Each structure stands twice: as structure tokens, then as C-alpha cells.
Amino acid sequence: MTNIKFRLILMNFMQFFIWGAWLLTIGHYWFDNHLGTATQFSAIFSTMGISAIFMPALTGIIADKFINAEKLYGTLHILGAIVLFCVPMVKDPTLFFWVMLANMVCYMPTLSLSITVAYSALKNVPLDVVKVYPPIRTFGTVGFIAALWVVSLTHNESSPNQFYIASAVALTLGLYSFTLPKCKPLLQTTEKKSTLDMLGLRAFTLFKTPRFAIFFAFSMLLGAALQLTNAYGDVFLGDFSKNALFTGSIAVKYPAIIMSISQASETLFILTIPFFLRRFGIKYVMLFSMLAWVLRFGLFAFGNPADGLWMIILSCIVYGMAFDFFNISGSLFVETQAAPEIRGSAQGLFMMMVNGFGALFGSLASGVIIDKYFTLADQTKNWEGIWLTFAGYALVIAIIFPFVFRYKHTSALEHAIKHA
């Protein structure tokens, strides 16, 4: 039992190390090497959303019917490693887009496949997935933070080495995956299942219910907010290096390490969710998330690496609430409110709205806005204006949400938590 836990911990660590090695620093690499405009960069960052819309469902069908999940998982990581190795060779913005799209097509489905592999392995031991898996998943966040520290301490935020580091770990994980416990296809060929159900599209009927339609709409809008901070947080800190007043400051020398505080905060805020759900209910927990996004962006607007460093650090701490209180609570809302027969596909729809359409919307809109309104003639950026605009966006969402989202505190979710 201890052996399988350790093997899954190692899998999760590498899974998110790959992402952390470049996700928050690719903007630094893009702008410092003058590869293109903010609009072109937003297209690059939108590849995550594009791939998240269709790839998880497609690979889910393949794993259900045709190939072991751990083999598909390993194959995708090996292909992803090859693509990541090629990224530094690309200088043309259009080709860069297609290469990064190929990378995300390989990577995004591994997020759900890693869960499938882990659940299968734990159930076969057998172990209680609900109790055992969350601590294992925590090491994914540890891996993400470790990658940020490695890239930052080696001063590779602007270097192609970040992609080589990610590529090496992806290749290692890909090969390692073939040693994991077998996760065979379980969908019986005799089972009559419509194409609608197989693709997870049955959950789209939830849009007929106003409460779910509103929830999914706000999921997309908050998914856009998450994309804004992923895309531009590290770039923002790196730009302070152009000001002699901040040369040599910790935030300028190691921006990725400062940003890693966000991931550490995320881990801690997960532990507070049961208390906040019992005390305030899921509607207000989600509202707290939206207000936290306002603080996240607002503190960035007025922070700096010198006397304003505390604001940048506080912004990173607030991120934990902003991210967890909607993503985790949102998944619990879906779990308790959707019909049992479509809960799985409903969770997929929730992730599609956040990481798919939300990420796509956030990426494309932010790039156009930054280029048109906040990029000066010398290509420097008005970061205060950028972050205040994003804060205003989050504030509008927070003001509207409690008036249109109808939900009472006396739900099965809070009742279950009270008796946990």
C-alpha cells in the first residue's frame, strides 16, 4: 500500500512539474526575446483553452474502450516531451502557436488521465480514494512549486532552458508511466450507450436549468480571470528589472519564486474550505472567491518590489482563496446538485467552461486589450492600468453574482460536511 502511494505521489509530482516549468514563465520568455505582441502571445496562451475543450473527452473515450489508461498517459507525455524540446527552435509567432497547441493537445488530457490511473490503482489495492487521494494530489502542487523554484534559481525565466527542463521531466514521466499498475478499458462492448453519453454531452441539458446555466456562465468568466494571472504575473514582476530603483530586489531576481507563493497558498486554503462551507454556504464561498480576485489584481496594481513588496506577497496569498474557493467549491456544487447518472460528465462540463472556454476567452481578450490600451510606443506596458482593469472586471462579476445566482444554504452539500 505504501509503495503504490509513493508511486502515485511521484507521478503527480512530475505531472505538475512539467507544467510549472514553463506555464508562468513563458510570458517572460516571449516578451524578453521579442517574439511578438501581446495579442500574439494571448493566442499562444489560448492553446490551453482550445485543447481543453475537446481533448479530455476524446482521450477519455479511447481509454474507456481501446487502450490502457496508463499506456495512453505515457504515450502522450512522450509526444509532449518531443514537442517541448522543439519549442526553443521556433521564432515565428504563427508557427509558435501551432507548436504550443500540439504541446497542449498532448498535455491537457493527461490531467484527467492521471486521475483515472490513480483512482484505478488505489481501488485495486483496495484503498479509500476519498481519504487517500487528496494528500497524494497535494504533491502535484509541490511539483509545480519545485519547477518554479528550479527555473527561477537557475535564472531561466527568459531562457529556452525552461522548455528543455520540462521536456526532460515529461520524457521521464512518459517512460515511468508504463511501469504503473494496469488500468484496462472498462466500457463493456455489450453496454448500449449513446454517442451523446459517451462524449459527456448529456450534461449540456443542465443549461436548461437557470441555476446551472448561471453557474456555468460564471465558471467561464472566472476561468478567464485565472488565465490572466497565469499569463502575465511573472511578466509583470520581470518588467521591474527595467527600473534602476528595483534592480537587485528579490522579486526581480527570482520572480517565479515569488509567484510560487500563490501555489503554496492554494494548498493551505484547500484545508479551510470545509469550515467556510459550513459557516457561509457555497454561494458566499464562491462570492469570496470573486472578491479575492479583485484583491489579487488590485494589490498587483499598486505593488512593487521595494516598499510595495508586501502587496505583491499578499496578492499571492490571496490567490489561494481566489482559486480554491471557486474551483473546489464549484466541483462540490456540481457533485451534489447534478443527477447521479450525469455527475461525471457534469464535472467535465465544469472543467470545460473553466479551463476551456474561460481560458480561451481570457487569453484572447486580454491580449487585444493590453495591446490596444496599455502598450506604449516604446512597447513598455502600463501595468497599473492593466491590473486595475482586470480588478474592475472581477468586481463587476462579484457584484452581479449574488443577485442572479439563487441558492439556499440548506443543501445536501453543507449537511454532508456537517456530518463528515
Side-chain angles (χ1 to χ4, degrees):
M1 291 185 183
T2 303
N3 178 53
I4 192 61
K5 289 181 186 178
F6 174 77
R7 293 173 71 189
L8 294 178
I9 284 173
L10 187 57
M11 179 189 76
N12 273 273
F13 182 90
M14 289 192 285
Q15 171 73 44
F16 288 91
F17 188 103
I18 297 165
W19 213 6
W22 65 265
L23 180 66
L24 302 188
T25 52
I26 187 174
H28 215 129
Y29 173 78
W30 178 269
F31 291 109
D32 284 3
N33 290 284
H34 308 290
L35 295 178
T37 65
T39 300
Q40 290 170 323
F41 174 67
S42 68
I44 303 300
F45 225 77
S46 73
T47 56
M48 182 176 76
I50 295 171
S51 58
I53 290 172
F54 67 93
M55 278 305 296
L58 178 61
T59 54
I61 295 172
I62 295 173
D64 277 345
K65 295 194 68 175
F66 303 111
I67 185 173
N68 284 19
E70 83 282 356
K71 292 180 180 179
L72 179 59
Y73 178 71
T75 301
L76 287 169
H77 273 303
I78 292 172
L79 293 174
I82 296 172
V83 177
L84 282 167
F85 189 84
C86 296
V87 169
M89 305 175 192
V90 181
K91 305 302 179 184
D92 176 70
T94 302
L95 183 57
F96 201 102
F97 168 84
W98 290 108
V99 172
M100 286 307 297
L101 179 60
N103 172 52
M104 296 315 294
V105 163
C106 292
Y107 184 82
M108 289 308 291
T110 65
L111 293 172
S112 56
L113 285 171
S114 68
I115 297 174
T116 301
V117 171
Y119 280 12
S120 173
L122 292 173
K123 288 177 180 177
N124 287 338
V125 172
L127 289 171
D128 186 338
V129 173
V130 175
K131 291 182 179 180
V132 175
Y133 181 72
I136 291 174
R137 170 59 183 82
T138 301
F139 282 89
T141 303
V142 173
F144 195 98
I145 295 171
L148 285 173
W149 279 62
V150 168
V151 170
S152 190
L153 289 173
T154 56
H155 299 291
N156 280 313
E157 285 97 342
S158 300
S159 166
N161 290 337
Q162 60 186 284
F163 301 107
Y164 295 135
I165 293 169
S167 175
V169 177
L171 179 61
T172 302
L173 177 54
L175 297 174
Y176 172 74
S177 300
F178 286 89
T179 71
L180 292 171
K182 296 184 183 301
C183 182
K184 297 180 180 180
L186 297 177
L187 188 62
Q188 300 297 321
T189 56
T190 56
E191 180 183 353
K192 292 185 178 180
K193 201 171 185 180
S194 70
T195 303
L196 198 67
D197 288 321
M198 288 177 60
L199 293 176
L201 300 180
R202 184 70 64 185
F204 277 91
T205 58
L206 292 172
F207 278 102
K208 295 179 181 179
T209 306
R211 181 173 57 180
F212 268 107
I214 292 169
F215 170 77
F216 285 130
F218 278 92
S219 297
M220 183 189 75
L221 294 173
L222 283 206
L226 173 62
Q227 198 71 349
L228 299 176
T229 194
N230 282 342
Y232 299 105
D234 195 75
V235 182
F236 159 66
L237 293 180
D239 266 8
F240 281 110
S241 64
K242 300 172 183 176
N243 189 326
L245 293 174
F246 306 117
T247 303
S249 63
I250 294 175
V252 169
K253 289 175 67 176
Y254 306 107
I257 289 180
I258 296 297
M259 292 301 293
S260 73
I261 297 173
S262 300
Q263 278 64 49
S265 172
E266 175 190 333
T267 303
L268 295 175
F269 268 102
I270 289 176
L271 303 177
T272 70
I273 288 177
F275 166 78
F276 278 93
L277 284 174
R278 286 195 301 266
R279 180 66 179 84
F280 300 102
I282 198 165
K283 176 178 179 177
Y284 287 98
V285 168
M286 290 191 285
L287 177 61
F288 294 158
S289 167
M290 297 170 191
L291 294 173
W293 279 117
V294 178
L295 285 175
R296 165 70 161 179
F297 297 136
L299 287 166
F300 266 174
F302 299 109
N304 65 65
D307 58 346
L309 180 60
W310 68 271
M311 284 188 274
I312 292 176
I313 292 176
L314 183 57
S315 174
C316 291
I317 294 173
V318 166
Y319 171 86
M321 176 182 284
F323 180 84
D324 288 335
F325 276 31
F326 193 88
N327 281 267
I328 305 300
S329 299
S331 66
L332 290 172
F333 171 78
V334 172
E335 181 67 20
T336 57
Q337 300 300 306
E341 61 270 18
I342 62 168
R343 281 177 185 166
S345 54
Q347 292 287 1
L349 178 57
F350 173 56
M351 296 309 298
M352 181 188 293
M353 297 304 294
V354 176
N355 292 328
F357 292 111
L360 185 61
F361 166 64
S363 296
L364 298 179
S366 63
V368 173
I369 291 171
I370 290 173
D371 266 347
K372 188 171 183 179
Y373 299 106
F374 299 108
T375 300
L376 307 180
D378 60 357
Q379 295 304 304
T380 59
K381 294 176 177 56
N382 174 10
W383 285 111
E384 181 177 334
I386 291 170
W387 293 124
L388 286 177
T389 299
F390 293 167
Y393 166 79
L395 181 60
V396 170
I397 295 174
I399 292 172
I400 297 173
F401 178 75
F403 294 101
V404 299
F405 183 67
R406 304 296 181 185
Y407 186 81
K408 293 183 179 180
H409 185 25
T410 56
S411 74
L413 172 59
E414 285 84 16
H415 178 78
I417 291 174
K418 287 179 182 177
H419 294 84

